[in-house]
Amino acid sequence: MSTPVLYSYFRSSCAWRVRIALNIKGIQYEYRAVNLIKDGGMQRKDEYTTVNPMQQVPALIMDGATLTQSISIMEYLEEKYPTNAIMPKDPLQRAKVREICELIASGIQPIQNLIVLQKVEKLSSAEEKSEWARFFIEKGFIALETILGECAGKYCVGDTVTMADICLVPQVGNAKRFSADMSKFPLISKINEELEKIEAFQKASPFKQPDCPEDLRA
């Protein structure tokens, strides 16, 4: 069986999710960097567009197929490799995990994604772009903090790491990057602190990836 190949960018929160999931599952993989900034973005080049027509990361080549979209990839990993489960068995808990994943992956992250910030012409400065991202992150976190109050234990849903936690940590990373006021979100912050103690999450950190600039490395 050939080694899986992950097309990733160190700062991409979507690729970050997949790195965490692969680490939890204990799956070794080859890391192929796709620089989203250099020369207008490597993801827009023909070579990568043949891998992922959406010109986004991640893309995972595994088991003879090319998989894209982080949530779909995590679902596949869970179904194919059930050891070290990232979904609970209880149907209601599974629904809560998916709810949190969708809130983050559909309701928060896309609005502060790189391509959005690049296309909103009125955001002329870096500070204006940060303010835009910060507004939508904090708006989403207000809802998330409430939802977690109903289902969290040590982690997002109970006391077991799930896909919800895998989505949470990269989004908190983005929040810190754009200087969101995390003091407003004590439960999110507490869960994130617990998750950052786990080796699979530590190894997936953007600042430990091969394409992370030297001056940002942990």
Side-chain angles (χ1 to χ4, degrees):
M1 183 181 296
S2 60
T3 302
V5 175
L6 177 65
Y7 289 87
S8 178
Y9 179 61
F10 81 104
R11 227 173 204 162
S12 163
S13 56
C14 298
W16 189 347
R17 296 170 196 155
V18 175
R19 295 195 301 263
I20 296 170
L22 289 167
N23 290 344
I24 290 174
K25 295 294 184 181
I27 298 171
Q28 299 296 316
Y29 62 93
E30 177 187 341
Y31 187 106
R32 291 189 188 173
V34 180
N35 193 315
L36 304 184
I37 306 295
K38 185 179 179 181
D39 298 329
M42 290 173 58
Q43 75 278 17
R44 298 187 175 97
K45 308 299 183 184
D46 290 345
E47 180 180 357
Y48 185 70
T49 301
T50 61
V51 176
N52 185 355
M54 273 295 286
Q55 301 179 332
Q56 297 173 338
V57 292
L60 179 66
I61 299 178
M62 187 174 192
D63 298 331
T66 300
L67 306 173
T68 67
Q69 302 301 321
S70 62
I71 303 298
S72 175
I73 292 172
M74 289 193 290
E75 292 270 11
Y76 174 77
L77 294 175
E78 177 69 355
E79 293 170 6
K80 179 77 173 182
Y81 305 96
T83 303
N84 300 329
I86 53 175
M87 284 293 282
K89 293 182 179 179
D90 178 75
L92 183 57
Q93 286 192 323
R94 291 171 74 90
K96 294 305 291 185
V97 168
R98 290 189 171 105
E99 177 184 344
I100 292 167
C101 288
E102 285 295 333
L103 189 156
I104 293 172
S106 300
I108 302 176
Q109 189 271 334
I111 307 173
Q112 43 90 149
N113 201 11
L114 174 64
I115 192 169
V116 174
L117 295 178
Q118 289 175 333
K119 287 295 183 181
V120 180
E121 294 181 359
K122 69 177 182 178
L123 305 178
S124 59
S125 70
E127 177 52 39
E128 286 175 327
K129 291 179 180 180
S130 291
E131 185 178 351
W132 167 284
R134 188 163 53 244
F135 171 83
F136 286 107
I137 291 170
E138 292 187 2
K139 182 178 184 296
F141 273 9
I142 289 170
L144 181 58
E145 185 84 1
T146 301
I147 291 169
L148 290 175
E150 300 170 355
C151 64
K154 185 176 182 180
Y155 305 119
C156 285
V157 180
D159 297 323
T160 303
V161 172
T162 67
M163 284 173 50
D165 302 292
I166 295 173
C167 288
L168 180 71
V169 168
Q171 190 56 60
V172 172
N174 281 346
K176 293 178 178 178
R177 177 185 172 195
F178 292 114
S179 302
D181 184 0
M182 291 304 298
S183 68
K184 298 177 183 177
F185 312 109
L187 184 51
I188 291 173
S189 297
K190 180 181 177 183
I191 294 170
N192 185 72
E193 288 173 8
E194 289 298 325
L195 292 165
E196 288 184 334
K197 297 175 184 177
I198 300 171
E199 184 180 9
F201 285 79
Q202 294 171 353
K203 287 173 60 178
S205 166
F207 310 113
K208 293 185 178 180
Q209 303 315 304
D211 58 329
C212 177
E214 197 64 37
D215 60 329
L216 295 179
R217 287 189 176 277

